[in-house]
Amino acid sequence: MSENNTNNAPKKRGRPPKSNTVETNSAKQNTYTNEFNSFRSNQISDAYFGFDIFDYYSVEQFAAIIRDPMSDGNNQLLREISKILYGTNGVYTNTVDYMTSMPTLDKVIVTHGKNTQEKKKNKAIMESTLRLIKDKEIVRDALFTAMIEGTYFGYFETTSRPKTNKKFMSDYEVDSIVEINEFGINASVITLPADYTRIVGIKNSSYVIAFNLDYFNDVSGESTERKLRKFPKEIRDAYNERKNNDSANGTWVTLDNTRTIVHKIRSKRDERYGRPLVLAAINDILYGDYFTKTKRNILDEINNKIVYETFPEGKEKGSSALTKNQQQSQHDTVKGAVLNKNNRGGISFFSVAAGTKIDTIDASNTDIFDDKYESNLNDKIALGMGIASSLLNGSSSGSYSSQENNLELMTGELIQWIEQISAEINKCINANILNNSKTYVECKYLPITHVNQAKKVGYYKELYLQGNGSLSAWIASCGISPDVYFALLDQEIDDGIYEKYTPHLTSFTMSGKDMDNGAGRPITDNPTESTMQTRKNNGNAIPSPSDK
């Protein structure tokens, strides 16, 4: 029972003050009660594990985004929730991170056309541009963003952005990431915020997107000028034109689709947004959070036992044999000993009157701590995102063959996404850098991951050794750029490496011409009759079946 507040001071909001104990009964008592006082320790769940997503979003909002994730408001809400869950749910975090890093992104450049010199030149330009924009980083960023937000929007910029002479920066400007050393750059990929970008159509089988210029009016601590410098020239020009034209209607500007990169997952072609990876597992994640919170509450009950003391009964029923002062003294003694024990550990000693009873209330059920319940929940969460939980922790149920099958399914999905991203990058480079439809150049990422790399290397090796396989593909599957590999070979030939350092003569490196140097099997001085007959008939020159 708590005391009533008699003053008119406003109540303070927020968490209660930290305290080791909470008195649950401070009311005035008489000598005719057996129980003088009870107390329990304050729970720690809210202090250490107090995050609850339902403090920020309602059940109705979750139901709306699951029912209709494609509407503008619901999809924006879904992206916000997905970002929060990525930072709070380990299964979701690891799934996104592992799928982002799985592909090796080994690539080959394919040129089309009849002019050999033109093809060679265009290949060099493509390689230079990919190196300039850091294509692997862009592809992984597109995969990562699409898995969390459902959609990735990028812009291929080929002009340098305006220079600033500002030497000093505010704390906000330091915290935000901007390309500072951007002068002289003639190709880069700029990520556009999904909340202000929207797919509005399709042109030449490529998505057309529009950007909301209200983004620059929402300063949020950053100057409009600085925001504009981070964006491509097309958007800067549109903002300035609209700002200087009072008659301009609308805030959305349609962007040149030969410069935009759009990647969305788990959605139809005619849908405006993609679906984040977490959408199918969001119910299980929320239930798992509720399950974990329940376990923590039970753990609080176990760690914070309710201790009660019963004084010795007197002659009359319901009265105590101790006086009021004796009750108070014994209560303080027991309470101090129990608190010291809980706070510091060790041994606490105290004496009580005969007939005193000290006990605890055990109201907890520990069956919920069985690992099978939590592992089942994690299995369902992982299944909703398309990955076997045994791949994440190595301890869940599932055979090795089922894990291999799941990895192949994941690889197929990743390769499909990478093909979409590479097609968009190829479109932008060919339209804005090469600008020649007759000599189209493509960057092809090989379907290789860190999991299947050894197997793929074997496939390309067999193709090369037993058929008309590509040496470039074999080299690229090993994680080395074919051009770098061939350049190393050319350099070694020019340096005379092979003449200076000849390989040791073994059955793998020796040929017939090495016999003149004394290599091979020595000629015996005492040949047998069979050896003489073989020499006479030149039997060693007769082809054997294995030579065919």
Side-chain angles (χ1 to χ4, degrees):
M1 182 182 300
S2 61
E3 296 180 359
N4 294 329
N5 190 357
T6 57
N7 56 30
N8 296 324
K11 295 182 178 180
K12 294 184 179 180
R13 298 180 62 85
R15 293 180 181 170
K18 294 183 179 180
S19 174
N20 293 326
T21 62
V22 175
E23 291 264 359
T24 60
N25 187 359
S26 59
K28 181 171 65 176
Q29 51 86 38
N30 54 47
T31 58
Y32 297 99
T33 178
N34 285 14
E35 184 176 352
F36 178 84
N37 204 338
S38 303
F39 62 91
R40 63 180 177 85
S41 297
N42 193 23
Q43 294 187 349
I44 65 170
S45 285
D46 292 337
Y48 291 95
F49 314 105
F51 177 79
D52 188 350
I53 198 168
F54 287 105
D55 291 339
Y56 304 90
Y57 305 99
S58 65
V59 177
E60 290 76 14
Q61 287 177 307
F62 279 100
I65 63 175
I66 294 174
R67 182 176 60 253
D68 182 19
M70 290 296 109
S71 68
D72 295 336
N74 288 345
N75 197 267
Q76 181 176 359
L77 191 64
L78 177 58
R79 293 194 297 269
E80 294 175 0
I81 293 174
S82 179
K83 293 175 185 176
I84 294 175
L85 294 179
Y86 171 78
T88 57
N89 185 270
V91 177
Y92 184 29
T93 303
N94 292 329
T95 299
V96 172
D97 291 349
Y98 293 162
M99 292 184 70
T100 301
S101 61
M102 264 185 64
T104 59
L105 298 181
D106 300 321
K107 60 182 179 287
V108 293
I109 307 300
V110 181
T111 58
H112 303 275
K114 297 181 180 180
N115 190 317
T116 304
Q117 292 297 326
E118 191 74 16
K119 289 167 63 176
K120 197 171 184 179
K121 174 186 174 184
N122 290 340
K123 180 183 177 183
I125 294 175
M126 171 66 82
E127 291 173 342
S128 176
T129 305
L130 291 174
R131 186 166 53 252
L132 190 63
I133 67 174
K134 298 183 178 179
D135 62 301
K136 288 189 177 183
E137 183 177 336
I138 296 301
V139 173
R140 294 195 194 279
D141 183 56
L143 289 173
F144 179 84
T145 304
M147 280 188 276
I148 294 180
E149 300 186 16
T151 313
Y152 169 83
F153 297 107
Y155 190 95
F156 185 79
E157 178 70 299
T158 54
T159 58
S160 59
R161 278 164 275 176
K163 182 178 179 180
T164 176
N165 295 320
K166 185 176 179 181
K167 184 177 182 61
F168 300 100
M169 305 171 69
S170 65
D171 292 339
Y172 187 91
E173 292 172 333
V174 170
D175 291 337
S176 58
I177 298 177
V178 185
E179 281 194 42
I180 298 176
N181 188 18
E182 60 191 4
F183 320 121
I185 292 179
N186 55 10
S188 60
V189 176
I190 305 168
T191 302
L192 303 179
D195 291 344
Y196 292 86
T197 312
R198 183 180 299 174
I199 297 175
V200 295
I202 297 177
K203 180 181 178 182
N204 296 330
S205 299
S206 178
Y207 290 113
V208 178
I209 63 175
F211 186 79
N212 191 349
L213 298 176
D214 281 341
Y215 173 81
F216 301 105
N217 297 330
D218 182 17
V219 177
S220 300
E222 187 176 15
S223 65
T224 302
E225 179 188 357
R226 180 176 171 81
K227 272 191 172 184
L228 283 170
R229 281 195 289 109
K230 295 189 295 184
F231 282 81
K233 183 176 184 298
E234 185 177 6
I235 294 179
R236 296 197 309 269
D237 292 344
Y239 176 82
N240 291 327
E241 180 181 353
R242 181 176 176 272
K243 181 180 179 181
N244 297 328
N245 187 359
D246 297 334
S247 61
N249 295 323
T251 60
W252 292 86
V253 55
T254 304
L255 304 179
D256 181 4
N257 76 320
T258 64
R259 293 180 174 273
T260 56
I261 299 173
V262 180
H263 170 54
K264 60 189 182 77
I265 65 172
R266 298 189 172 183
S267 66
K268 296 189 296 183
R269 185 169 174 79
D270 59 349
E271 289 181 321
R272 182 171 293 169
Y273 302 103
R275 292 171 175 84
L277 204 64
V278 76
L279 180 60
I282 198 167
N283 282 335
D284 292 319
I285 290 179
L286 296 179
Y287 180 75
D289 291 343
Y290 172 71
F291 180 81
T292 303
K293 185 175 181 180
T294 302
K295 287 174 60 176
R296 287 169 177 160
N297 290 337
I298 293 177
L299 188 62
D300 284 339
E301 293 180 6
I302 295 175
N303 291 335
N304 300 279
K305 294 180 179 180
I306 301 174
V307 181
Y308 66 91
E309 174 187 10
T310 305
F311 295 121
E313 190 173 8
K315 294 181 180 180
E316 298 181 11
K317 190 69 174 178
S319 64
S320 174
L322 303 179
T323 65
K324 179 178 179 180
N325 292 335
Q326 289 174 331
Q327 291 180 36
Q328 182 66 52
S329 175
Q330 181 168 300
H331 167 74
D332 294 339
T333 301
V334 173
K335 176 180 175 181
V338 173
L339 285 180
N340 289 335
K341 171 70 175 176
N342 289 339
N343 292 338
R344 293 190 310 232
I347 300 175
S348 298
F349 177 81
F350 58 90
S351 300
V352 296
T356 300
K357 296 179 180 179
I358 300 175
D359 206 347
T360 60
I361 298 177
D362 186 7
S364 60
N365 184 357
T366 59
D367 292 342
I368 196 173
F369 290 102
D370 195 323
D371 289 339
K372 65 181 180 181
Y373 298 114
E374 189 158 7
S375 62
N376 290 338
L377 278 172
N378 290 334
D379 290 346
K380 291 181 178 180
I381 294 172
L383 178 62
M385 289 183 285
I387 187 172
S389 61
S390 55
L391 292 175
L392 299 175
N393 55 29
S395 60
S396 299
S397 59
S399 62
Y400 178 77
S401 61
S402 65
Q403 292 180 354
E404 275 195 321
N405 291 335
N406 183 251
L407 280 172
E408 291 177 0
L409 294 174
M410 289 175 56
T411 300
E413 190 171 36
L414 278 172
I415 297 305
Q416 176 193 358
W417 294 344
I418 293 173
E419 287 176 352
Q420 296 173 8
I421 300 169
S422 63
E424 292 286 280
I425 295 176
N426 290 332
K427 173 197 71 177
C428 294
I429 295 177
N430 279 277
N432 298 280
I433 300 294
L434 300 174
N435 199 18
N436 190 343
S437 59
K438 295 182 179 179
T439 56
Y440 192 78
V441 184
E442 293 180 281
C443 169
K444 294 288 188 181
Y445 294 97
L446 301 178
I448 300 175
T449 67
H450 292 288
V451 179
N452 68 5
Q453 186 171 20
K455 185 185 296 185
K456 291 292 184 180
V457 170
Y459 291 158
Y460 288 117
K461 177 183 177 181
E462 291 298 319
L463 284 173
Y464 181 79
L465 296 180
Q466 298 185 9
N468 292 325
S470 168
L471 179 60
S472 296
W474 184 11
I475 295 170
S477 66
C478 298
I480 305 173
S481 171
D483 292 322
V484 173
Y485 189 86
F486 294 142
L488 287 174
L489 290 178
D490 292 339
Q491 181 178 340
E492 290 173 357
I493 292 174
D494 293 339
D495 294 342
I497 298 295
Y498 304 109
E499 288 74 16
K500 294 179 181 178
Y501 311 101
T502 57
H504 296 160
L505 294 178
T506 66
S507 59
F508 295 99
T509 61
M510 190 172 57
S511 63
K513 64 180 181 180
D514 297 315
M515 299 295 293
D516 299 334
N517 300 327
R521 183 177 179 179
I523 299 177
T524 178
D525 295 332
N526 299 311
T528 63
E529 183 178 352
S530 175
T531 301
M532 295 294 294
Q533 186 66 29
T534 300
R535 291 179 182 176
K536 182 179 179 181
N537 298 332
N538 197 21
N540 290 330
I542 300 174
S544 61
S546 61
D547 295 332
K548 295 181 180 180

